[in-house]
Amino acid sequence: MPRCRTRSPPGAKASGGSGCRRSSTRPENSPEPLLKREIIYSIETAHRAKERDHMVTTVGYVGLGNMGGRLARRLQREHTLTVYDRSAATIDALVELGATAAPSAAAVAAASDIVFLCLPTSAHVRSALFDAEGVLAGAQPGTLIVDQTTGDPAQTRAMAAEVAERGCVLVDAPVSGGPMGADAGTIAIMVGAPDEVFARLQPILTVISPNVFHAGDVGCGHVIKLANNLLSAVHRAVSLEALALAQKNGVDGERALDILLASSGRNFYLETFVRSHVLSGKLTSGFTLELLHKDARLATQLGDHSGVPMFFGALAKEFYQLCINDQGPGAEVNNAALVMDRLAGTHLVPVNAEA
């Protein structure tokens, strides 16, 4: 096996980093575990490929779930991606379209100048960055890391400072518009980055969508994403409440929706999800109650820390906690309509709903 030539990032402890150091107590001819050997070899091979193609910006993606997979496919229209996810099936789907599979986040970073992440929470991002086979174990100094998670701004800023100590750059670029917007290339991308980093990143982000916005410095992308998701959470809850009110007092649900869509109370949730998911009974959307509650919790927490009253956001957060208690954390977000029906004695969702 070739000896590992990857360098530990600046500031890393001698015992940490890429996992490439051999134990001094291991006999010279003793084989290393197969997976570790494969990862080390993959990292070294990727670094050599980068040296050959140093004039080309290489792109990697870690986290190929409901949103990350779609965003990666958009990038793949103009970039050959190196990808990693814990799910082999999601990797295979991108490989079929031309991506290169990597055995770890470290191997993705070793092959990439820019590494995108899209994961459920900031805690998952921290693991993906700093674990033994995480991004920083394979990243070379100067690597740009772009977090597309809906994350905690305070944690993002803290991680950015730690990443900078390792010679790399972390910025945030969460998105809004859902799976449909990602597929259509219309999704909004909210970037928190210094001006010079945004200028470098913007042309690549426009491959995903032309709707790229510079929110401010690091963490500001996550701030405006939380503000947006809080507004969305409130719209969803109040829209269900208004529809239940109308139906309970004699107005058919479909008719109520038609009228509201032509009136001043219309909103994105009414326009996009109510007819297709709630009134149709097809509740599946790929987004869970747990994730929406997480976003509302982070938003109200940010308000608490910055002295902004969170009257309506706090009420919405508690409504989704009630929904989680009733439906379970992994239930579809549209199952909130089932909870509203039970509380109000209505039938917005047909009895044969596909929950």
Side-chain angles (χ1 to χ4, degrees):
M1 183 189 76
R3 293 187 179 275
C4 179
R5 298 178 183 175
T6 55
R7 298 191 299 273
S8 296
K13 295 182 179 179
S15 60
S18 67
C20 294
R21 292 179 60 89
R22 297 177 184 270
S23 170
S24 60
T25 61
R26 182 185 296 278
E28 181 63 25
N29 297 322
S30 176
E32 294 175 299
L34 180 59
L35 177 60
K36 184 177 179 182
R37 286 162 52 198
E38 288 177 344
I39 290 172
I40 293 172
Y41 182 79
S42 180
I43 292 172
E44 180 174 333
T45 302
H47 280 318
R48 288 175 176 171
K50 280 179 68 176
E51 290 172 1
R52 289 195 305 269
D53 302 327
H54 66 280
M55 296 301 292
V56 178
T57 298
T58 53
V59 181
Y61 214 108
V62 175
L64 307 173
N66 192 43
M67 285 303 296
R70 287 175 162 86
L71 299 173
R73 282 196 293 274
R74 293 292 299 176
L75 283 169
Q76 200 162 3
R77 295 179 310 133
E78 295 188 17
H79 298 277
T80 300
L81 299 186
T82 303
V83 298
Y84 172 73
D85 191 274
R86 289 183 177 180
S87 167
T90 60
I91 294 176
D92 290 344
L94 270 294
V95 169
E96 288 179 2
L97 298 175
T100 299
S104 68
V108 170
S112 307
D113 299 307
I114 300 178
V115 179
F116 287 83
L117 305 171
C118 190
L119 300 164
T121 69
S122 291
H124 292 93
V125 171
R126 175 168 285 279
S127 293
L129 290 174
F130 297 102
D131 280 359
E133 298 301 341
V135 169
L136 291 174
Q140 298 222 3
T143 298
L144 175 58
I145 305 165
V146 184
D147 180 15
Q148 298 203 281
T149 304
T150 300
D152 180 339
Q155 291 192 44
T156 299
R157 288 163 175 158
M159 286 187 284
E162 295 175 59
V163 168
E165 292 176 356
R166 309 281 284 270
C168 299
V169 178
L170 173 67
V171 301
D172 46 311
V175 299
S176 179
M180 291 182 293
D183 288 338
T186 58
I187 204 159
I189 306 174
M190 314 162 193
V191 184
D195 291 344
E196 65 278 9
V197 178
F198 177 75
R200 175 187 173 193
L201 184 58
Q202 186 177 19
I204 296 174
L205 291 175
T206 56
V207 177
I208 299 175
S209 167
N211 299 316
V212 179
F213 300 92
H214 190 192
D217 212 334
V218 175
C220 288
H222 282 149
V223 169
I224 192 61
K225 177 63 191 294
L226 290 180
N228 174 82
N229 281 21
L230 182 67
L231 188 59
S232 177
V234 172
H235 281 169
R236 185 184 296 266
V238 175
S239 294
L240 291 174
E241 189 173 83
L243 288 166
L245 176 67
Q247 188 186 76
K248 188 69 176 285
N249 289 277
V251 183
D252 174 74
E254 290 276 0
R255 189 168 299 175
L257 178 60
D258 289 339
I259 295 169
L260 291 173
L261 288 175
S263 305
S264 60
R266 67 185 180 276
N267 59 61
F268 182 79
Y269 178 65
L270 288 175
E271 292 171 345
T272 309
F273 291 104
V274 170
R275 198 184 311 278
S276 61
H277 290 76
V278 176
L279 300 181
S280 70
K282 299 176 181 178
L283 298 175
T284 301
S285 67
F287 193 63
T288 65
L289 286 168
E290 181 179 39
L291 288 175
L292 184 59
H293 179 266
K294 179 263 295 184
D295 295 347
R297 175 178 54 79
L298 288 176
T300 54
Q301 186 178 78
L302 184 63
D304 289 342
H305 291 168
S306 56
V308 178
M310 291 279 109
F311 302 116
F312 307 109
L315 286 172
K317 176 175 69 73
E318 294 308 312
F319 171 67
Y320 294 114
Q321 182 63 64
L322 174 66
C323 292
I324 288 172
N325 293 347
D326 188 81
Q327 298 287 309
E332 285 288 330
V333 68
N334 289 310
N335 282 28
L338 295 174
V339 177
M340 183 60 70
D341 273 343
R342 182 175 61 79
L343 294 173
T346 52
H347 298 286
L348 295 172
V349 181
V351 293
N352 61 343
E354 301 174 6

